[in-house]
C-alpha cells in the first residue's frame, strides 16, 4: 500500500470505532425511557452530514470528495405504534474539489419501528424531488433537478411525553440528477446507487398527542 492509503485506512478504522461507540452509548441511554404510541403527530428537525472522504490516485495525488450538509424539517404521524408516515422539507449544501452547490428538496417518508422499548430501532424509506444551482471552480455554473430515494436504519429514543431523540449513521441511496449548463444549455443526466457509510443524522422530535 502507498503511504497515503495507509493513513486513510487508519483514519477510516478510527471513524468506524467512534461510530460504534457512540451508537452503543445512545442505546444504553434510552433503556429506561418511555416508548411512543400510535395516533400521535410529530414535528422533527434533523441535521444530516454525509462525508465523501478522500481518494488517493495512482500517482499519489489526494482528491477531496467533499461533504454534504442537510437541514431537514419533518412533520409526521404514527399510524400505528410501529408505523409512521410523513413529509421531508430540506435544504442541502454540497462542496467538493470541483465547487459547491445547493439544493432544495421535498418528499415523503415511511418508517417501520421495532414493536417495543424505550429506544427502538427503525428502518426509514424516503423519496422526493429537488432542485438547485451549482457553482464550479472551473467551467460554467449550472442548474439541476433530481429524484432521490434513500433507505436508512436508525434509533429513536423518547425522553419525555413530548420529546424524542433521533439518530442514524448510514444509508443506501439511489439518485438521478438532471444538470443543465447555464451558458451552453447542454443537458446531462447522471444516475447511480451509492452506499454512504458516513451518513450521520441527528435530531430532535416534538410529539403532539391526539
Amino acid at each position: 500500500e502507498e503511504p497515503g492509503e495507509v493513513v486513510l485506512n487508519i483514519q477510516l478504522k478510527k471513524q468506524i470505532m467512534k461510530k460504534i461507540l457512540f451508537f452503543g452509548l445512545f442505546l444504553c441511554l434510552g433503556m429506561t425511557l418511555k416508548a411512543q404510541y400510535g395516533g400521535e403527530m410529530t414535528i422533527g428537525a434533523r441535521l444530516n452530514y454525509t462525508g465523501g472522504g478522500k481518494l488517493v490516485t495512482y500517482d499519489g495525488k489526494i482528491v477531496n470528495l467533499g461533504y454534504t450538509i442537510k437541514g431537514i424539517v419533518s412533520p409526521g404521524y404514527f399510524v400505528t405504534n410501529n408505523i409512521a408516515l410523513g413529509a421531508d422539507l430540506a435544504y442541502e449544501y454540497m462542496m467538493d474539489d470541483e465547487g459547491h452547490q445547493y439544493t432544495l428538496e421535498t418528499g415523503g417518508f415511511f418508517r417501520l419501528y421495532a414493536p417495543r422499548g424505550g429506544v427502538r430501532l427503525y428502518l426509514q424509506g424516503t423519496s422526493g424531488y429537488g432542485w438547485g444551482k451549482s457553482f464550479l471552480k472551473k467551467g460554467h455554473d449550472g442548474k439541476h433537478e433530481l429524484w432521490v430515494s434513500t433507505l436508512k436504519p436508525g434509533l429513536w429514543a423518547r425522553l419525555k411525553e413530548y420529546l424524542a431523540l433521533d439518530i442514524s449513521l448510514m444509508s443506501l441511496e439511489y439518485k438521478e440528477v438532471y444538470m443543465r449548463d447555464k451558458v451552453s444549455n447542454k443537458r446531462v443526466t447522471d444516475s447511480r446507487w451509492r452506499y454512504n457509510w458516513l451518513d450521520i443524522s441527528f435530531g430532535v422530535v416534538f410529539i403532539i398527542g391526539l
Side-chain angles (χ1 to χ4, degrees):
E1 291 182 324
E2 296 292 333
E5 292 178 334
V6 174
V7 173
L8 290 178
N9 287 335
I10 293 175
Q11 292 176 345
L12 177 61
K13 291 178 181 179
K14 288 182 178 179
Q15 290 174 343
I16 292 174
M17 290 303 297
K18 288 180 181 179
K19 287 170 61 179
I20 293 173
L21 178 60
F22 184 70
F23 211 67
L25 290 175
F26 187 82
L27 182 62
C28 293
L29 173 67
M31 288 300 181
T32 61
L33 304 179
K34 296 181 180 180
Q36 65 272 18
Y37 308 96
E40 292 177 323
M41 292 189 65
T42 61
I43 299 177
R46 305 196 309 277
L47 185 64
N48 194 94
Y49 172 86
T50 306
K54 296 182 179 181
L55 176 67
V56 180
T57 62
Y58 288 107
D59 58 1
K61 182 181 178 181
I62 299 179
V63 179
N64 183 13
L65 299 181
Y67 64 87
T68 301
I69 296 178
K70 181 186 294 187
I72 309 165
V73 176
S74 302
Y77 177 73
F78 276 96
V79 180
T80 67
N81 187 48
N82 63 328
I83 296 177
L85 302 175
D88 282 341
L89 304 173
Y91 173 84
E92 178 183 277
Y93 177 83
M94 185 182 75
M95 185 175 73
D96 57 22
D97 64 329
E98 297 293 332
H100 68 276
Q101 70 178 34
Y102 71 83
T103 306
L104 298 174
E105 294 184 18
T106 181
F109 72 82
F110 170 87
R111 279 191 179 187
L112 180 63
Y113 290 81
R116 299 177 182 177
V119 170
R120 303 204 296 182
L121 294 169
Y122 68 78
L123 183 64
Q124 173 174 303
T126 63
S127 186
Y129 169 76
W131 65 98
K133 293 182 179 181
S134 301
F135 303 91
L136 305 178
K137 296 178 181 178
K138 298 179 181 179
H140 300 141
D141 299 336
K143 296 182 178 180
H144 62 270
E145 301 175 63
L146 60 87
W147 287 98
V148 59
S149 297
T150 306
L151 190 66
K152 63 191 313 181
L155 281 175
W156 161 291
R158 187 160 184 168
L159 303 179
K160 303 285 186 179
E161 288 296 324
Y162 58 86
L163 183 66
L165 293 180
D166 189 323
I167 183 172
S168 60
L169 297 177
M170 62 191 71
S171 67
L172 178 63
E173 176 186 83
Y174 174 76
K175 182 180 289 186
E176 190 166 323
V177 184
Y178 306 92
M179 297 165 285
R180 186 182 297 276
D181 188 287
K182 292 176 66 175
V183 176
S184 66
N185 207 36
K186 183 179 179 180
R187 183 182 175 94
V188 178
T189 301
D190 179 43
S191 60
R192 68 183 67 183
W193 285 94
R194 181 181 180 185
Y195 170 69
N196 302 306
W197 67 269
L198 187 58
D199 186 353
I200 303 171
S201 178
F202 183 82
V204 294
V205 182
F206 298 96
I207 304 164
I208 304 170
L210 299 179

